[in-house]
């Protein structure tokens, strides 16, 4: 089984973002990390590999040179190799342009299952997995809280607020997983050291057979949002304060 995991290199923090002359986010000079939701996708791929003997996991990303950091983390988490689509023409890619590049990379690799996180922390559109599936001509299952891979099909469980519902699709397919699918395990020292010897392939748009590239959207202006912070002072005893903090985190979905 060939599993391709789509991962994204996102800014380490969304504070003090800088933008280029074309009003797009300047990613090249900002410290970044593997998108947290994509860590869950890599971990789910590794869990599948532990239950089967024929699994090859390839992590794929696109972006500036610094995006290779996301691939290195994916290799530590269990990917066998990785592909970095690196090209100056990728700058400013919108969701559709991103999906076109990723779909071309996945198609070139060949696949049985494509996994990704449900959303990225820097945009949160949750649109790319479905777009990739459409371009590849395969079914898509989004917001998977539970993932099960059978011999010829994939099943997910999704909590839609009214209870857990089950959906299934024939392979090959694209699945976007949520953070509720299971906490990623902590990588071992051996996995961290082994990752240094795993291959990262660099492809250009020409390698993917893409002659022209450009987004369908144009950013006309960027306006900074005012910071509105509410300070809460906890003057209760430690036990009550801890309960109030836990309630606050749960209310705002930080837990």
């Amino acid at each position: 089984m060939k599993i391709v995991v789509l991962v994204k290199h996102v800014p380490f923090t969304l504070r003090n973002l800088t933008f280029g002359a074309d009003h797009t986010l300047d990613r090249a000079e900002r410290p970044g990390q593997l998108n947290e939701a994509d860590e869950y996708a890599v971990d789910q791929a590794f869990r599948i590999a532990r239950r089967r003997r024929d699994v090859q996991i390839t992590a794929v990303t696109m972006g500036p040179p610094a995006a290779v950091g996301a691939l290195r983390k994916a290799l530590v988490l269990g990917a066998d190799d990785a592909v970095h689509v690196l090209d100056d023409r990728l700058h400013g890619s919108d969701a559709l342009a991103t999906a076109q590049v990723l779909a071309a990379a996945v198609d070139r690799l060949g696949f049985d299952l494509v996994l990704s996180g449900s959303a990225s922390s820097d945009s949160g559109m949750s649109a790319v997995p479905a777009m990739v599936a459409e371009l590849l001509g395969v079914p898509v299952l989004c917001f998977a809280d539970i993932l099960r891979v059978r011999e010829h099909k994939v099943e997910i469980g999704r909590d839609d607020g009214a209870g857990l519902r089950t959906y299934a699709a024939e392979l090959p397919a694209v699945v976007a997983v949520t953070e509720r699918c299971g906490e990623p395990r902590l990588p071992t020292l051996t996995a961290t050291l082994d990752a240094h010897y795993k291959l990262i392939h660099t492809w250009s748009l020409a390698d993917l057979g893409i002659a022209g590239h450009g987004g369908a959207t144009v950013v006309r202006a960027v306006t900074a949002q005012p910071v509105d912070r509410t300070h809460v002072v906890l003057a209760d005893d430690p036990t009550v304060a801890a309960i109030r903090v836990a309630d606050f985190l749960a209310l705002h979905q930080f837990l």
Side-chain angles (χ1 to χ4, degrees):
M1 170 176 278
K2 178 69 172 179
I3 301 177
V4 179
V5 186
L6 306 180
V7 302
K8 186 176 183 180
H9 186 254
V10 297
F12 186 75
T13 175
L14 298 182
R15 300 177 61 184
N16 302 318
L17 297 178
T18 57
F19 299 85
D22 58 354
H23 304 300
T24 59
L25 180 63
D26 183 6
R27 297 179 181 272
E29 302 302 325
R30 294 191 60 82
Q33 62 185 358
L34 173 62
N35 181 50
E36 183 179 0
D38 297 335
E39 292 188 24
Y40 289 82
V42 178
D43 186 70
Q44 287 296 308
F46 183 75
R47 294 187 189 196
I48 296 170
R50 287 193 301 178
R51 296 192 295 267
R52 304 174 61 126
R53 297 181 179 180
D54 59 340
V55 177
Q56 173 76 16
I57 304 170
T58 300
V60 176
T61 196
M62 57 176 276
V68 73
L71 293 177
R72 292 196 179 103
K73 180 64 179 292
L75 293 174
V76 170
L77 292 175
D80 298 303
D81 63 351
V83 171
H84 182 191
V85 183
L86 176 63
D87 198 296
D88 290 340
R89 289 177 291 169
L90 295 175
H91 175 76
S93 296
D94 58 13
L96 178 57
T98 298
Q100 291 171 337
V101 173
L102 294 177
V106 171
D107 187 56
R108 184 182 184 190
L109 286 166
F111 68 100
D112 297 295
L113 177 64
V114 178
L115 296 178
S116 76
S118 289
S120 62
S121 62
D122 58 348
S123 62
M125 294 180 65
S126 303
V128 170
M131 290 180 171
V132 169
E134 178 71 17
L135 292 167
L136 292 172
V138 299
V140 61
L141 298 172
C142 296
F143 304 107
D145 298 325
I146 298 173
L147 174 63
R148 302 186 186 91
V149 177
R150 309 299 186 187
E151 188 65 29
H152 300 292
K153 69 177 181 178
V154 58
E155 297 176 353
I156 71 164
R158 180 194 303 156
D159 187 351
D160 58 5
L164 190 67
R165 300 181 184 272
T166 300
Y167 302 87
E170 296 294 322
L171 294 173
V174 175
V175 177
V177 301
T178 72
E179 291 86 346
R180 293 185 292 273
C181 65
E183 191 71 22
R185 78 209 181 288
L186 293 175
T188 63
L189 176 60
T190 300
T192 302
L193 295 175
D194 287 346
H196 292 285
Y197 300 97
K198 295 179 179 180
L199 294 178
I200 299 178
H201 308 276
T202 302
W203 293 351
S204 66
L205 292 180
D207 293 326
L208 298 177
I210 300 176
H213 183 73
T217 58
V218 176
V219 181
R220 299 297 185 187
V222 177
T223 303
Q225 295 295 317
V227 178
D228 182 15
R229 297 178 179 174
T230 301
H231 298 276
V232 179
V233 179
L234 300 178
D236 303 300
D237 66 81
T239 301
V240 175
I243 294 174
R244 292 184 63 189
V245 170
D247 289 343
F248 175 85
L249 295 176
L251 176 64
H252 295 277
Q253 298 183 347
F254 290 120
L255 294 179

